Amino acid sequence: MAGTDHGRLDTGAGGGPQPAIVLVEPQLGENIGACARAMLNCGLTDMRLVSPRDGWPNPKAEAMAAGALEVLERARVYSTTAEACADLTYVLATTARPRGVTKEALVPRAAAARLHARIGAGQPAGVLFGPERAGLVNEDITLADAVITVPLNPGFSSLNLAQAVLLVGYEWFQGGDDTPDVHLMGDGPPAPVETREFFFSRLETELEDAGFFYPEHLGPTMKRNLRTLFTRAGMTDQEVQSLHGVIKALTGKRRRAP
Amino acid sequence: MAGTDHGRLDTGAGGGPQPAIVLVEPQLGENIGACARAMLNCGLTDMRLVSPRDGWPNPKAEAMAAGALEVLERARVYSTTAEACADLTYVLATTARPRGVTKEALVPRAAAARLHARIGAGQPAGVLFGPERAGLVNEDITLADAVITVPLNPGFSSLNLAQAVLLVGYEWFQGGDDTPDVHLMGDGPPAPVETREFFFSRLETELEDAGFFYPEHLGPTMKRNLRTLFTRAGMTDQEVQSLHGVIKALTGKRRRAP
């Protein structure tokens, strides 16, 4: 009964309990190594192997895993899927096609939400991935509580093993990640309105001196359009300073002209 | 000015206008082939290559692309990123780390929403991916309207090129896909309440005959618990018929006992 006495709720690179990734009869060591990388990308470290074709450990897996050796070193080997899942209370099976088995089918995002709910409640969970070509057999799908199907181009939907692991792991990671959808990346803080207004007044004064606002009745609109453009850019303090320099340089140039 | 006169809004396997995938100075042909597969998985076919290191076409890319040769055959080669993007009105750059450039940073899901909004409005858009190791240079990031950063394990966040393309393409595809989050996969339709009730009554009658509901005052609770279990399973018509057979077989067996 391997699998029942350890690793009940692994704490890995993700910093908390996480789903087990169960590779059923994986064939190529390279693919196992690539899965280890994809797992670690997503903070997952509980790899379980059911009857890997070329035995275990596998030097080709290690060569491909590169910086994710820690995942391979912790990997455990089982002879059946049921043994690999013995301690899990919620199991999802990845499969491309229905096979006469009536199950709930979840998209990866919904699957990740279920996994977070289960694991957050202290219930060990895992995801099954089948062999490279054939995919999971019906017996393994039957063992699972529900299946995961990835919506992809129906004319070309086959993913390699590591990519399937990556997509499921990616959704798991996003489900626990608090990166805002959009944020300002970079050094400087955005310029406050006072700083922008000072720049706009200076720009408009210089442009008035240069006779830019012509015909005069369009002046207000032309000013508004320029303010809109610069405001939309979301200038930083540093950038406003640069623009002051630009005005200075350009007006100096103009004044130097004959 | 290659790139300005064709492919303005490609209609590919995805069935509609789609973002261009711009690989900047990709090194290994194998990676370009793997990107072609990841693109086609997501219905993307507008691949643009900026100065691929080993020239173009590349037999190693073809060997790796397998069923996604059509993407490679349509791929176009440019000598600069600006030329590859010449016809695009909205460009996103994938990058792991800020580099002293102040830009909006989007998670892939938000980036996909922006791409759908732009492309849906008839505005050609694309995504830049840098060379395998070094990533995009500042000049390319500067050219882009915003950047995409993929939230991943901060201790192990490097993705290979095809995986980065897959994650961005996956979010693009999900953004245009209408698969329900959860659906019932399989053959049989779920059993209606009338069919379930008939099964429950028969089960309870047989169990009453067998003296299962003991002590008697717990009968209602025991019945409710059994009904809850079977209802939670979401039985199909076919499964209810099978359960009738199970009752028949078990009661026959009991009656055959001495």
Side-chain angles (χ1 to χ4, degrees), chain B residues 176-239:
Chain B
D177 182 68
D178 56 3
T179 304
D181 278 4
V182 182
H183 70 278
L184 198 64
M185 180 189 87
D187 308 318
V193 169
E194 183 181 30
T195 305
R196 302 186 221 165
E197 287 295 317
F198 179 74
F199 164 70
F200 293 146
S201 326
R202 181 174 171 198
L203 176 64
E204 288 165 3
T205 302
E206 294 287 355
L207 290 174
E208 267 163 12
D209 287 357
F212 176 79
F213 297 115
Y214 183 86
E216 207 170 321
H217 73 276
L218 288 184
T221 302
M222 295 167 80
K223 287 176 187 173
R224 195 169 59 239
N225 290 347
L226 281 172
R227 284 176 179 241
T228 297
L229 165 63
F230 282 107
T231 302
R232 203 169 57 230
M235 300 177 290
T236 64
D237 272 329
Q238 179 58 49
E239 288 165 343

Side-chain angles (χ1 to χ4, degrees), chain A residues 153-177:
Chain A
N153 175 4
F156 193 75
S157 63
S158 81
L159 290 173
N160 74 39
L161 190 53
Q163 284 173 319
V165 168
L166 178 69
L167 289 182
V168 170
Y170 164 80
E171 289 288 9
W172 161 262
F173 194 90
Q174 305 315 302
D177 182 68

